[in-house]
Amino acid sequence: HEYLITTSAEYIDFEPNNDIIEALQKEISQLRKELLQSQIDKAEALTGESLGLNIDNIDNEDALSEIQSQIDQSVVNSQTNN
């Protein structure tokens, strides 16, 4: 079936919406970074300490998720210490 789809797509000059999907993925990544930066700001305000994180140079989704986990833990620790 895949062969038929591919050859049919070539025959009618069909191009998948890869450009649209890629643009949406970039937008999602940017929104995740913005949300993460907001959460870093909140964590720093709650703890009164700088976390020293610069997310501008991070493009890896796994790294963003790890930072998110660390921020969540920092906020939890701050709340339990108060």
Side-chain angles (χ1 to χ4, degrees), residues 36-61:
L36 183 56
Q37 185 61 56
S38 295
Q39 291 171 331
I40 290 170
D41 295 344
K42 179 181 177 182
E44 289 178 341
L46 289 173
T47 63
E49 299 176 14
S50 174
L51 299 178
L53 298 172
N54 181 2
I55 63 167
D56 292 331
N57 299 327
I58 299 174
D59 290 328
N60 184 318
E61 293 294 323

Side-chain angles (χ1 to χ4, degrees), residues 24-74:
L24 289 171
Q25 288 173 333
K26 286 180 181 180
E27 183 177 0
I28 290 168
S29 180
Q30 181 61 36
L31 291 171
R32 286 189 72 205
K33 283 183 178 182
E34 290 174 13
L35 176 60
L36 183 56
Q37 185 61 56
S38 295
Q39 291 171 331
I40 290 170
D41 295 344
K42 179 181 177 182
E44 289 178 341
L46 289 173
T47 63
E49 299 176 14
S50 174
L51 299 178
L53 298 172
N54 181 2
I55 63 167
D56 292 331
N57 299 327
I58 299 174
D59 290 328
N60 184 318
E61 293 294 323
D62 292 334
L64 291 173
S65 295
E66 177 62 29
I67 292 170
Q68 178 68 55
S69 296
Q70 291 174 4
I71 291 169
D72 292 343
Q73 188 60 43
S74 175

